[in-house]
Amino acid sequence: MNEVREAITRAHHEEWARVVAALTRRFGDLDIAEEAAAEAFAAAVERWPADGVPANPGAWLTTTANRKAIDRIRRETKRDDKHKEARMLYDDSRGPLEGSVDDAIEDAIEDERLRLIFTCCHPALAPETRVALTLRMVGGLTVAEIARAFLVQEAAMGQRITRAKAKIKAARIPYRVPSAEDLPARVSGVLAVLFLVFNEGYLATGPDTDPVRPGLTAEAIRLARLVRALMPEDGEVAGLLALMLLIESRRPARVSASGELVALDEQDRGSWDTALIAEGHRLVRERLATGVAPGRYQILAAINAVHTSARDVRDTDWSQVVALYDQLVRLDASPIVALNRAIAVAELDGAEVALAAVDRLEDRLAGYHAYHATRADLLRRLGRSRESRAAYDRAIELAGNTAQTAYLTRRRDQLG
Amino acid sequence: MQYLLSVIHDSSTLATSDEMAAIDVFNDRLQAEGYWVFAGGLGGPDMATVVDNRGGEAMVTDGPFVETKEYLIGFWIIEAPDLDVALKLATDGSKACNRKVEVRPFL
């Protein structure tokens, strides 16, 4: 029974986007695609325990979803003939392309999920809507999970997604990968969304979901690889891919057998994925060799390259990390960057200096668990146990992830 | 698929002769490339009159229906295959008339 449940969960992680994308392509309607996909998974939950897991779950789900979509269209057609004409999304048919770059573009166009992602990340949609839509349509997260990730009410999130789909349909946002000419501008928006999807997989937000959802991180990496195949010269694409690979490389060490988050300094570095690290380092070196000023993702990748170069946490080149954060602050003066810089500063200049920097962020980060967790850790190092405990309490309150909560609770309970 | 490109005006100055010339060039291009449906400039809010005949008797009032800093000063109606094309044209239109342009699909 558990095996069937696992198979359904795995199929959901692996096949959701494929099913939604295939149906969107076929029926030209995100609503129909999404609802039919959801119905197909519901059918799997009902049927697989009795009938057994099909040999090819993806094909079973796509076929079932197709049937559900046709049933739905028939019902609606009976109700209102005009619904049949409501095929607003359409496929951009292109002629044959020539040359290697065009082959790469052609390959990417072949990928339904990439097409789906470019539609969900269209600049005519608000940035928060793009992420929500991508998480729903590509990531297969429920509206409730997305709402939690954004700290908004489920009803409001549902409305946001519904509104976005209505706009895509009514304004005729095309279902395609943009032309080569438009690609650079559109890619940065896609990268932002992919990174957020990756982060959702790396630190899932729901209390009832796995703390880590490898399906989502894998999907974000897979799509980043595709975008890279499409734009091998784009430094930020390479940077984001390197960043995700280097973070992903640490995943095996990140959650303990008992489901607790393991912080970077306590991780078993022997279990880091050396193949991913090698690939990430290769990309970082490749970008450095170009001599072109790095963007945000390339700097973050370089920071992670420093971490993954150290065999032991004590070997970490913290001055290099802080220097990279200084570079990042000039590009992105967000309080979260400042918080992460402060964590590195603690290693270089001590907890007291870092705490002063962290405290300056209170106004902007008071609702963010990592702010309180960082403060708690610094206060602990300074022997200010009572204040540290209060900060841990607040961090635990705000943490959305079970592994994180377990980690924070243990650290709090270790206080004298 | 038709789109309304609304030109949003946010000051009291009218189009300069340079802007007018650029708009003419843009209009010619819309026609030459087959996007053109219709376009026009509008009198300002001070030239507006609102008629309300929802009650028993039609009410005619001087002035716009709502007082705002920004208002519609002109528009293009274009025929375009999708929003990407409409947004590109709106981008060039905004440059030509030197004003913000809102894009909305006809339903």
Side-chain angles (χ1 to χ4, degrees), chain A residues 240-262:
Chain A
L240 179 64
L241 177 58
L243 173 61
M244 295 202 280
L245 292 170
L246 292 172
I247 298 176
E248 180 77 357
S249 73
R250 305 198 296 263
R251 187 163 56 77
R254 203 158 149 277
V255 177
S256 72
S258 61
E260 187 185 302
L261 190 78
V262 184

Side-chain angles (χ1 to χ4, degrees), chain A residues 84-376:
Chain A
K84 203 167 52 181
E85 292 158 26
R87 285 190 51 168
M88 290 304 186
L89 283 170
Y90 70 104
D91 174 34
D92 182 47
S93 47
R94 287 157 184 272
L97 296 160
E98 287 163 23
S100 61
V101 174
D102 287 343
D103 284 347
I105 292 172
E106 186 67 21
D107 285 346
I109 292 168
E110 286 303 308
D111 193 291
E112 304 288 346
R113 281 174 283 192
L114 194 58
R115 199 189 305 257
L116 185 62
I117 228 174
F118 269 107
T119 303
C120 292
C121 298
H122 196 276
L125 302 169
E128 65 270 24
T129 303
R130 289 177 220 165
V131 175
L133 200 60
T134 304
L135 286 175
R136 177 72 197 122
M137 305 305 292
V138 185
L141 271 72
T142 65
V143 172
E145 285 168 329
I146 303 166
R148 201 182 148 76
F150 284 89
L151 306 172
V152 301
Q153 295 292 317
E154 190 177 335
M157 182 53 71
Q159 238 165 21
R160 184 186 293 174
I161 291 172
T162 304
R163 221 193 117 252
K165 286 188 290 191
K167 182 171 180 180
I168 288 170
K169 200 186 230 185
R172 205 167 190 175
I173 288 178
Y175 186 57
R176 67 171 172 229
V177 175
S179 64
E181 166 199 0
D182 290 338
L183 214 44
R186 291 285 305 280
V187 162
S188 68
V190 170
L191 296 184
V193 168
L194 289 184
F195 194 36
L196 282 156
V197 171
F198 179 85
N199 283 327
E200 179 53 37
Y202 197 67
L203 199 66
T205 35
D208 302 323
T209 69
D210 292 338
V212 177
R213 298 186 54 194
L216 274 185
T217 54
E219 184 67 13
I221 288 173
R222 204 190 68 82
L223 289 167
R225 283 190 202 280
L226 266 170
V227 179
R228 175 159 161 78
L230 193 59
M231 306 186 68
E233 302 302 318
D234 189 299
E236 281 295 85
V237 172
L240 179 64
L241 177 58
L243 173 61
M244 295 202 280
L245 292 170
L246 292 172
I247 298 176
E248 180 77 357
S249 73
R250 305 198 296 263
R251 187 163 56 77
R254 203 158 149 277
V255 177
S256 72
S258 61
E260 187 185 302
L261 190 78
V262 184
L264 186 59
D265 58 339
E266 293 178 326
Q267 285 176 11
D268 167 18
R269 297 185 174 218
S271 66
W272 285 357
D273 187 322
T274 50
L276 292 180
I277 291 175
E279 191 186 354
H281 284 191
R282 205 158 49 234
L283 283 165
V284 170
R285 277 197 303 272
E286 177 193 309
R287 290 310 310 162
L288 279 174
T290 65
V292 179
R296 181 166 171 263
Y297 296 122
Q298 291 166 78
I299 297 171
L300 285 169
I303 290 168
N304 279 276
V306 176
H307 285 307
T308 44
S309 294
R311 285 198 184 167
D312 187 288
V313 65
R314 283 167 303 191
D315 301 333
T316 307
D317 184 350
W318 289 107
S319 64
Q320 178 77 354
V321 174
V322 172
L324 286 164
Y325 271 117
D326 285 340
Q327 216 177 332
L328 186 58
V329 166
R330 285 197 288 273
L331 289 182
D332 176 3
S334 80
I336 290 173
V337 171
L339 180 70
N340 288 322
R341 182 183 177 279
I343 293 169
V345 164
E347 303 301 327
L348 197 64
D349 300 328
E352 201 153 347
V353 179
L355 183 62
V358 169
D359 281 340
R360 281 196 293 274
L361 304 169
E362 190 189 354
D363 288 352
R364 291 183 292 168
L365 293 182
Y368 183 49
H369 68 86
Y371 164 78
H372 297 283
T374 305
R375 272 196 87 234

Side-chain angles (χ1 to χ4, degrees), chain A residues 88 90 122-124 167 169-174 176 178-179 181-182 186, chain B residues 1-3 79-88 103-107:
Chain A
M88 290 304 186
Y90 70 104
H122 196 276
K167 182 171 180 180
K169 200 186 230 185
R172 205 167 190 175
I173 288 178
R176 67 171 172 229
S179 64
E181 166 199 0
D182 290 338
R186 291 285 305 280
Chain B
M1 179 84 182
Q2 293 190 340
Y3 294 88
E79 179 72 45
D82 60 51
L83 187 67
D84 280 353
V85 177
L87 292 178
K88 254 202 190 89
V103 179
R104 279 164 78 174
F106 279 76
L107 296 179

Side-chain angles (χ1 to χ4, degrees), chain B residues 4 10 19-20 28 30 37 40 48 53 59 64-65 73 90 97-98 103:
Chain B
L4 172 66
D10 57 7
E19 286 164 4
M20 289 306 298
D28 289 346
L30 286 181
V37 177
N53 193 20
M59 291 262 296
F65 73 101
I73 193 74
C97 70
N98 193 29
V103 179

Side-chain angles (χ1 to χ4, degrees), chain A residues 52-64:
Chain A
V53 178
N56 184 343
W60 188 97
L61 288 161
T62 307
T63 308
T64 307

